Amino acid sequence: MSDHAHSPERACLSRRAFLLSGGTAVTIVSLGGWSRAFGQGAALKVATYPRKKIGRVSQLKADSPVTFKYPWQDFNSTNMLVKLGVPAGGGVGPDQDIVAFSTLCTHMGGPLAGQYRGQYKVLGPCPFHLTTFDLTKHGMVVAGQATESLPQIVLEAKGAEIWATGVMG
Protein backbone atom coordinates (compact mmCIF):
# COMPACT_ATOMS: atom_id res chain seq x y z
CA MET A 1 0.00 0.00 0.00
CA SER A 2 1.35 3.45 -0.78
CA ASP A 3 2.01 6.08 1.85
CA HIS A 4 -0.28 8.44 -0.07
CA ALA A 5 -3.41 6.66 1.25
CA HIS A 6 -2.27 7.27 4.84
CA SER A 7 -0.79 10.77 4.42
CA PRO A 8 -1.94 13.53 6.83
CA GLU A 9 -3.34 15.59 3.93
CA ARG A 10 -5.77 12.78 3.13
CA ALA A 11 -8.71 12.98 5.59
CA CYS A 12 -10.67 9.99 4.26
CA LEU A 13 -9.89 6.54 2.95
CA SER A 14 -9.54 5.90 -0.74
CA ARG A 15 -11.79 3.19 -2.18
CA ARG A 16 -8.78 0.90 -2.49
CA ALA A 17 -7.77 1.48 1.15
CA PHE A 18 -11.35 0.91 2.27
CA LEU A 19 -11.58 -2.40 0.42
CA LEU A 20 -8.17 -3.57 1.63
CA SER A 21 -9.04 -2.64 5.22
CA GLY A 22 -12.01 -4.99 5.42
CA GLY A 23 -14.83 -3.10 3.75
CA THR A 24 -15.52 -6.17 1.65
CA ALA A 25 -16.21 -8.25 4.77
CA VAL A 26 -18.81 -5.73 5.93
CA THR A 27 -20.61 -6.00 2.61
CA ILE A 28 -20.62 -9.80 2.73
CA VAL A 29 -22.00 -9.83 6.28
CA SER A 30 -24.74 -7.43 5.24
CA LEU A 31 -25.68 -9.60 2.28
CA GLY A 32 -25.64 -12.69 4.50
CA GLY A 33 -28.12 -11.08 6.87
CA TRP A 34 -30.32 -10.03 3.97
CA SER A 35 -30.50 -13.55 2.54
CA ARG A 36 -31.44 -14.98 5.95
CA ALA A 37 -34.16 -12.36 6.36
CA PHE A 38 -35.79 -13.15 3.01
CA GLY A 39 -34.85 -16.81 2.65
CA GLN A 40 -36.65 -19.90 3.85
CA GLY A 41 -37.24 -18.50 7.35
CA ALA A 42 -39.46 -15.66 6.12
CA ALA A 43 -43.18 -16.14 6.72
CA LEU A 44 -46.26 -14.00 6.31
CA LYS A 45 -48.92 -13.76 8.97
CA VAL A 46 -52.38 -15.00 8.10
CA ALA A 47 -55.53 -13.62 9.67
CA THR A 48 -58.53 -15.93 9.36
CA TYR A 49 -62.02 -14.57 8.74
CA PRO A 50 -65.36 -16.21 8.00
CA ARG A 51 -65.40 -18.07 4.70
CA LYS A 52 -67.10 -16.23 1.87
CA LYS A 53 -67.89 -17.44 -1.63
CA ILE A 54 -66.41 -14.90 -4.05
CA GLY A 55 -66.68 -16.54 -7.47
CA ARG A 56 -66.65 -19.55 -9.75
CA VAL A 57 -63.67 -20.84 -11.70
CA SER A 58 -65.74 -21.06 -14.90
CA GLN A 59 -66.66 -17.35 -14.73
CA LEU A 60 -63.05 -16.12 -14.70
CA LYS A 61 -61.28 -15.10 -17.91
CA ALA A 62 -57.51 -14.72 -17.99
CA ASP A 63 -56.34 -11.21 -17.10
CA SER A 64 -59.88 -9.91 -16.41
CA PRO A 65 -60.03 -8.95 -12.70
CA VAL A 66 -63.27 -9.14 -10.73
CA THR A 67 -63.74 -6.92 -7.66
CA PHE A 68 -65.22 -8.09 -4.37
CA LYS A 69 -65.43 -6.97 -0.74
CA TYR A 70 -63.75 -9.02 1.97
CA PRO A 71 -63.50 -9.46 4.92
CA TRP A 72 -65.88 -6.59 5.74
CA GLN A 73 -68.83 -5.61 3.58
CA ASP A 74 -69.24 -2.04 4.86
CA PHE A 75 -65.58 -1.06 5.18
CA ASN A 76 -63.32 0.00 2.29
CA SER A 77 -62.03 -3.54 1.81
CA THR A 78 -62.18 -3.81 -1.96
CA ASN A 79 -60.14 -6.60 -3.48
CA MET A 80 -59.64 -8.14 -6.88
CA LEU A 81 -59.83 -11.76 -7.97
CA VAL A 82 -57.92 -12.57 -11.13
CA LYS A 83 -56.94 -15.59 -13.22
CA LEU A 84 -53.34 -14.82 -14.21
CA GLY A 85 -52.87 -17.60 -16.76
CA VAL A 86 -49.55 -18.60 -15.10
CA PRO A 87 -48.96 -20.37 -11.78
CA ALA A 88 -48.66 -17.97 -8.83
CA GLY A 89 -47.75 -18.05 -5.15
CA GLY A 90 -50.95 -18.79 -3.24
CA GLY A 91 -52.76 -19.56 -6.49
CA VAL A 92 -55.74 -21.95 -6.54
CA GLY A 93 -57.69 -23.73 -9.24
CA PRO A 94 -56.62 -26.39 -11.73
CA ASP A 95 -53.63 -24.32 -12.91
CA GLN A 96 -52.79 -22.68 -9.54
CA ASP A 97 -53.23 -19.31 -11.28
CA ILE A 98 -56.23 -17.76 -9.50
CA VAL A 99 -55.24 -15.18 -6.88
CA ALA A 100 -56.82 -12.30 -5.00
CA PHE A 101 -55.32 -9.14 -3.52
CA SER A 102 -56.30 -5.91 -1.81
CA THR A 103 -56.55 -2.99 -4.21
CA LEU A 104 -55.14 -0.46 -1.73
CA CYS A 105 -51.43 0.33 -1.93
CA THR A 106 -49.51 -0.56 1.24
CA HIS A 107 -47.56 2.70 1.16
CA MET A 108 -50.30 5.31 1.65
CA GLY A 109 -53.51 3.53 0.69
CA GLY A 110 -53.57 4.71 -2.90
CA PRO A 111 -56.25 3.14 -5.13
CA LEU A 112 -54.96 0.32 -7.33
CA ALA A 113 -58.32 -0.71 -8.83
CA GLY A 114 -58.08 -0.57 -12.61
CA GLN A 115 -54.27 -0.69 -12.52
CA TYR A 116 -53.82 -4.40 -13.36
CA ARG A 117 -51.27 -4.95 -16.16
CA GLY A 118 -51.99 -8.43 -17.54
CA GLN A 119 -48.98 -8.65 -19.84
CA TYR A 120 -46.67 -8.32 -16.79
CA LYS A 121 -48.94 -9.89 -14.11
CA VAL A 122 -48.53 -6.81 -11.90
CA LEU A 123 -50.84 -4.41 -10.10
CA GLY A 124 -49.83 -0.78 -10.40
CA PRO A 125 -48.41 1.72 -10.66
CA CYS A 126 -50.11 3.38 -7.70
CA PRO A 127 -51.21 6.89 -8.67
CA PHE A 128 -49.62 8.34 -5.51
CA HIS A 129 -45.99 7.18 -5.70
CA LEU A 130 -45.87 4.63 -8.55
CA THR A 131 -45.54 1.45 -6.48
CA THR A 132 -46.09 -1.72 -8.51
CA PHE A 133 -46.70 -5.23 -7.12
CA ASP A 134 -45.93 -8.66 -8.66
CA LEU A 135 -49.04 -10.83 -8.36
CA THR A 136 -47.19 -14.05 -9.20
CA LYS A 137 -45.00 -13.62 -6.09
CA HIS A 138 -47.52 -12.98 -3.31
CA GLY A 139 -47.91 -9.28 -4.22
CA MET A 140 -44.23 -8.46 -3.71
CA VAL A 141 -43.13 -4.85 -4.35
CA VAL A 142 -41.24 -4.55 -7.64
CA ALA A 143 -41.03 -0.74 -7.88
CA GLY A 144 -41.99 2.37 -5.96
CA GLN A 145 -42.16 3.60 -2.37
CA ALA A 146 -44.01 0.78 -0.60
CA THR A 147 -41.97 -1.52 1.63
CA GLU A 148 -44.64 -4.18 2.24
CA SER A 149 -46.26 -6.63 -0.14
CA LEU A 150 -49.95 -6.31 -0.96
CA PRO A 151 -52.27 -8.18 1.40
CA GLN A 152 -53.18 -11.40 -0.38
CA ILE A 153 -56.60 -12.93 0.15
CA VAL A 154 -56.27 -16.59 1.11
CA LEU A 155 -58.36 -18.65 -1.30
CA GLU A 156 -59.80 -22.15 -1.44
CA ALA A 157 -61.15 -23.79 -4.57
CA LYS A 158 -63.91 -26.26 -3.73
CA GLY A 159 -65.00 -27.84 -6.98
CA ALA A 160 -66.02 -24.97 -9.23
CA GLU A 161 -66.42 -22.43 -6.39
CA ILE A 162 -63.80 -20.03 -5.06
CA TRP A 163 -63.89 -19.09 -1.38
CA ALA A 164 -62.01 -16.42 0.58
CA THR A 165 -60.89 -17.67 4.01
CA GLY A 166 -58.45 -15.07 5.32
CA VAL A 167 -55.89 -12.38 4.59
CA MET A 168 -52.14 -12.96 4.36
CA GLY A 169 -49.65 -10.18 4.96
Side-chain angles (χ1 to χ4, degrees):
M1 211 162 41
S2 73
D3 288 336
H4 179 69
H6 298 291
S7 69
E9 301 92 41
R10 187 113 176 150
C12 62
L13 290 173
S14 68
R15 284 181 287 205
R16 176 174 281 169
F18 170 75
L19 291 173
L20 291 173
S21 70
T24 308
V26 172
T27 303
I28 291 169
V29 170
S30 295
L31 290 174
W34 179 82
S35 65
R36 279 193 306 275
F38 293 98
Q40 293 178 348
L44 295 173
K45 293 183 180 178
V46 176
T48 56
Y49 293 97
R51 291 169 38 101
K52 178 181 178 182
K53 182 179 165 187
I54 58 170
R56 297 182 61 79
V57 174
S58 61
Q59 294 173 330
L60 295 176
K61 295 178 184 157
D63 296 324
S64 295
V66 175
T67 60
F68 66 97
K69 294 216 179 249
Y70 183 82
W72 302 285
Q73 196 62 28
D74 298 336
F75 187 67
N76 189 12
S77 60
T78 302
N79 308 290
M80 71 171 223
L81 175 69
V82 64
K83 179 177 178 58
L84 298 175
V86 297
V92 299
D95 301 319
Q96 304 294 296
D97 65 341
I98 300 170
V99 293
F101 291 91
S102 168
T103 56
L104 294 178
C105 180
T106 57
H107 178 233
M108 292 184 70
L112 293 168
Q115 297 297 319
Y116 175 66
R117 308 285 181 240
Q119 68 271 34
Y120 305 111
K121 312 305 180 203
V122 299
L123 187 57
C126 174
F128 290 177
H129 298 101
L130 305 178
T131 300
T132 303
F133 302 89
D134 185 338
L135 302 187
T136 66
K137 295 183 176 141
H138 296 285
M140 176 179 87
V141 176
V142 292
Q145 299 294 316
T147 58
E148 295 181 28
S149 297
L150 273 179
Q152 184 171 7
I153 308 304
V154 180
L155 301 176
E156 281 182 11
K158 296 275 189 180
E161 298 177 339
I162 303 167
W163 294 78
T165 64
V167 180
M168 179 174 22

